[in-house]
Amino acid sequence: MLASTAVPSPAPASASSPTDIRAVTNAIFYLLRTGCQWRLLPREFPAWGTVYHYFRIWKNFSGSFSEL
């Protein structure tokens, strides 16, 4: 299954806080691969709260991450 079909499209980003969805996805894969804690996410990725927010949404969306 393609990742583009497993992960729902994001809501339109507001002008005040655009979020790079690819960076969020890379951060989630980094967390899953390394097992690091959410708050210790490296600075190259978006804020841990943003990444966790998208992870919770996608995890509950018909088991998207279990299919990946």
Side-chain angles (χ1 to χ4, degrees):
M1 173 179 277
L2 295 173
S4 60
T5 59
V7 178
S9 335
S14 65
S16 62
S17 63
T19 302
D20 183 12
I21 299 302
R22 183 171 181 108
V24 170
T25 307
N26 289 339
I28 292 171
F29 287 140
Y30 175 84
L31 285 163
L32 294 174
R33 185 179 64 240
T34 63
C36 84
Q37 297 175 2
W38 286 101
R39 292 181 186 243
L40 296 178
L41 193 63
R43 293 181 186 257
E44 293 82 32
F45 298 115
W48 74 269
T50 303
V51 175
Y52 183 69
H53 169 75
Y54 280 97
F55 176 76
R56 281 192 1 212
I57 291 172
W58 293 339
K59 182 183 72 137
N60 294 329
F61 180 76
S62 70
S64 298
F65 273 91
S66 62
E67 294 177 12
L68 291 177

